[in-house]
Amino acid sequence: MRPIPFVMSCAVLAVSAVALPLVGQDGDNVPATREALGELLFFDTDLSANRTQSCASCHDPAYAFADPRGMASPGDDGVSLGDRNAPTAAYARYSPSFFVDDEGVAHGGQFLDGRAGTLEDQAGGPPLNPLEMGMKDEAAVVARLREDPIYEAAFPAIFGDGVLDDTATAYTAMTQAIAAFERTETFAPFDSKYDRWLRGEAELTDEEELGRLLFFSQQFTNCAECHKLAASQMDPEETFTDYSFHNIGVPTNTALRAQNGVDPAYVDMGLGGGDHLDDPAEAGKFRTPTLRNVAITAPYMHNGVFEDLRTVVLFYNKYNTRSDARQINPETGAPFGPAPVPETLSLEELEIGPALDDRRIDALVAFLETLTDARYEPLLED
């Protein structure tokens, strides 16, 4: 019988403090629910062409379901390297299905450009992406499912007899199971220091409290313009993103391009470059990410261009400062690179508030660290 997936996860074994609970299997290790089946699928490397990569390879549960291995994730073929940083899958269930509102503003979806409308749509993408899991087509994936006696037993029991006999039906069932697992509390525990503070179970330090006040301020920072969803600052399920799309002028990651061979002049159009929304007005825009666990999910931005969280805050601050020194990226010693798509910059949001001094920058970083789920707090000490 197949081993229990969390036991076999090298990432979890390496960071024992973050071992996670199983969502449930029966006595024969055959999943009895969609969630349990999705968990098995999430860790299954057999669903990649060379049997080396699973969902968990790029969404590591030991690192808040992000990828700590570098600026972009390597592919199953051992050669391919993407051009975007893998976003965390934690709290992904809260992103609404992709839609464009009455004012023409796009919201939600999955992937950094929102091209997958739902969690189910997202789950179906990586197995067929040649830069990721590299399977030829849906039929090849379903053939792998049918190789496994546990899947042969679980899929019909959960989805109905004959589910594995039709490729499209079987593939849809697989995505539904993975999405069900991603909707469990395992991915969204809401137990960070910030959450405990909201419940009166913890106290913030003076620096963390200053950072909290600055973060939610409408006068001193622009953070909450895009990284706040609920009307109340005290909402117990704040995900720290409004799921809208913005162009904040993230510079090209030339270091990544040197590794993956993508032309340094290529411009990633984000939302405006997708088949679902081919609109020049949306060029260069990416979905606002959650700030949950942000302190332990480096590198940052859609292309992994920044290594340190403080650099991210300094990057935002460059829009509000007149200091030449504040235009310097501390990681390179050179000025922050130019915006690849300057025409669609969200300057109205970016230029809110005065420039920040070091004390306030450090306070914001300290507050962001309080958004780390309890099981990952030991990583803050590394």
Side-chain angles (χ1 to χ4, degrees):
M1 287 294 179
R2 178 188 299 275
I4 295 174
F6 274 120
V7 173
M8 293 301 293
S9 170
C10 294
V12 174
L13 289 174
V15 189
S16 59
V18 300
L20 307 179
L22 291 168
V23 298
Q25 294 175 316
D26 68 17
D28 295 322
N29 282 345
V30 175
T33 64
R34 291 191 182 196
E35 292 81 3
L37 176 58
E39 178 182 44
L40 205 62
L41 292 162
F42 192 87
F43 290 91
D44 193 347
T45 58
D46 284 345
L47 301 183
S48 63
N50 296 299
R51 303 179 190 264
T52 68
Q53 190 175 77
S54 69
C55 301
S57 299
C58 302
H59 300 286
D60 191 332
Y63 293 91
F65 296 98
D67 191 343
R69 295 176 296 174
M71 298 173 285
S73 301
D76 167 76
D77 61 7
V79 177
S80 300
L81 186 66
D83 201 47
R84 292 180 181 173
N85 181 248
T88 175
Y91 298 90
R93 79 187 200 205
Y94 288 89
S95 181
S97 297
F98 181 83
F99 72 99
V100 179
D101 66 24
D102 293 340
E103 297 180 357
V105 178
H107 304 268
Q110 302 292 331
F111 293 120
L112 294 166
D113 56 13
R115 69 185 183 275
T118 66
L119 277 177
E120 287 80 1
D121 294 335
Q122 188 281 326
L128 306 181
N129 190 325
L131 296 181
E132 297 184 59
M133 298 170 76
M135 295 294 282
K136 179 181 178 181
D137 51 30
E138 292 184 2
V141 177
V142 174
R144 293 285 179 88
L145 295 177
R146 299 194 65 171
E147 289 178 1
D148 192 313
I150 289 182
Y151 291 147
E152 284 276 15
F155 271 89
I158 295 170
F159 290 100
D161 291 340
V163 63
L164 292 179
D165 296 337
D166 178 78
T167 294
T169 302
Y171 200 83
T172 296
M174 180 192 74
T175 66
Q176 290 173 344
I178 294 172
F181 175 50
E182 292 179 327
R183 290 190 176 99
T184 64
E185 187 179 341
T186 295
F187 286 76
F190 289 102
D191 62 359
S192 68
K193 182 177 183 179
Y194 172 77
D195 297 300
R196 301 195 299 274
W197 172 80
L198 282 178
R199 296 192 292 265
E201 300 168 1
E203 292 186 6
L204 300 182
T205 67
D206 290 344
E207 184 178 43
E208 292 165 348
E209 174 63 7
L210 173 59
R212 185 188 72 83
L213 293 173
L214 289 169
F215 183 93
F216 287 110
S217 169
Q218 296 181 343
Q219 179 181 3
F220 293 107
T221 73
N222 55 14
C223 305
E225 284 293 307
C226 305
H227 286 286
K228 179 175 175 293
L229 181 65
S232 170
Q233 294 183 17
M234 310 299 283
D235 190 287
E237 291 193 345
E238 176 59 66
T239 54
F240 294 94
T241 170
D242 64 358
Y243 302 105
S244 61
F245 293 78
H246 290 282
N247 174 8
I248 61 172
V250 174
T252 300
N253 189 342
T254 55
L256 176 58
R257 295 283 172 85
Q259 293 181 31
N260 64 17
V262 175
D263 186 347
Y266 168 75
V267 176
D268 188 340
M269 291 297 183
L271 175 67
D275 293 336
H276 64 297
L277 198 63
D278 187 9
D279 183 350
E282 307 297 338
K285 295 184 180 181
F286 294 88
R287 183 166 55 84
T288 304
T290 179
L291 296 180
R292 292 276 176 177
N293 296 308
V294 68
I296 52 101
T297 52
Y300 301 105
M301 305 309 196
H302 70 270
N303 57 5
V305 69
F306 300 138
E307 297 178 3
D308 188 75
L309 186 56
R310 193 175 194 275
T311 303
V312 175
V313 179
L314 288 169
F315 172 75
Y316 279 103
N317 190 55
K318 83 182 187 72
Y319 287 100
N320 298 312
T321 181
R322 295 180 181 179
S323 168
D324 290 339
R326 289 297 197 190
Q327 300 297 323
I328 302 299
N329 179 348
E331 296 176 11
T332 64
F336 288 105
V341 189
E343 299 82 8
T344 61
L345 278 172
S346 297
L347 293 177
E348 182 178 348
E349 292 84 4
L350 290 168
E351 294 180 344
I352 293 175
L356 301 174
D357 58 19
D358 285 336
R359 176 171 174 261
R360 293 184 175 189
I361 289 170
D362 291 338
L364 281 170
V365 172
F367 171 67
L368 293 174
E369 290 178 347
T370 72
L371 306 183
T372 305
D373 290 341
R375 61 181 176 250
Y376 303 121
E377 287 176 346
L379 296 177
L380 293 173
E381 301 171 4
D382 292 349

